[in-house]
Amino acid sequence: IASALIVFGQILIAVFGDHTNVESLTLEEVRRQYSDISFRLFSMTMIFWFLFLAHMINNGSNNWQRFAWGVAGGSVTGFQNFVKDALALMQNYDDIQSFPAELYVLWFCGALFPLLGLLLLMQCMKRYDA
């Protein structure tokens, strides 16, 4: 089942994921992108998804708990847009003194989400001896 869910997740990303290769973004483009309704809906959906997973981890049956632990790590790790946008935004600046504050937030989130995802996956493996 775990392998099927991984393949299903990869298919979802392949069909609905962002496949653009942006080499450079302006600060205004990044701001517009993160204030766009589609990103806000995605973020809200993910928040509700995480709340559902947290509920299943704490209150679900054993199978639901296993599912929720396994999926939670992958869901958190999936926020890779921050790294991509930070790299694209960085192309517009020559030195670190001119970096906007938003770039530091993108880098922070770009590091935080994958680390949290790995932490959740490690907790899952610890609990279920995977």
Side-chain angles (χ1 to χ4, degrees):
I1 271 189
S3 296
L5 289 172
I6 290 170
V7 170
F8 178 67
Q10 294 299 318
I11 290 170
L12 286 177
I13 295 300
V15 173
F16 298 109
D18 183 9
H19 300 292
T20 58
N21 289 324
V22 178
E23 291 188 23
S24 177
L25 285 174
T26 66
L27 183 57
E28 197 54 44
E29 289 171 324
V30 171
R31 287 178 178 160
R32 194 171 336 124
Q33 179 178 317
Y34 284 91
S35 64
D36 186 57
I37 188 71
S38 60
F39 181 76
R40 290 176 185 234
L41 286 173
F42 168 74
S43 298
M44 291 301 295
T45 301
M46 291 306 288
I47 289 170
F48 285 118
W49 175 245
F50 293 132
L51 290 173
F52 170 74
L53 292 176
H55 175 72
M56 287 296 109
I57 286 170
N58 292 312
N59 301 313
S61 68
N62 187 43
N63 286 337
W64 274 110
Q65 287 178 345
R66 291 176 77 130
F67 169 80
W69 270 112
V71 173
S75 297
V76 172
T77 306
F79 275 97
Q80 295 297 317
N81 55 300
F82 300 114
V83 174
K84 177 181 160 188
D85 292 338
L87 289 171
L89 182 60
M90 219 169 87
Q91 300 303 314
N92 295 321
Y93 300 95
D94 294 330
D95 61 7
I96 198 166
Q97 281 77 25
S98 63
F99 287 170
E102 288 89 344
L103 183 59
Y104 294 104
V105 172
L106 289 173
W107 276 119
F108 177 76
C109 291
L112 178 69
F113 281 92
L115 290 174
L116 284 175
L118 288 174
L119 179 65
L120 287 170
L121 288 172
M122 286 176 16
Q123 289 299 313
C124 175
M125 291 190 303
K126 180 178 159 186
R127 282 174 170 68
Y128 298 105
D129 197 30

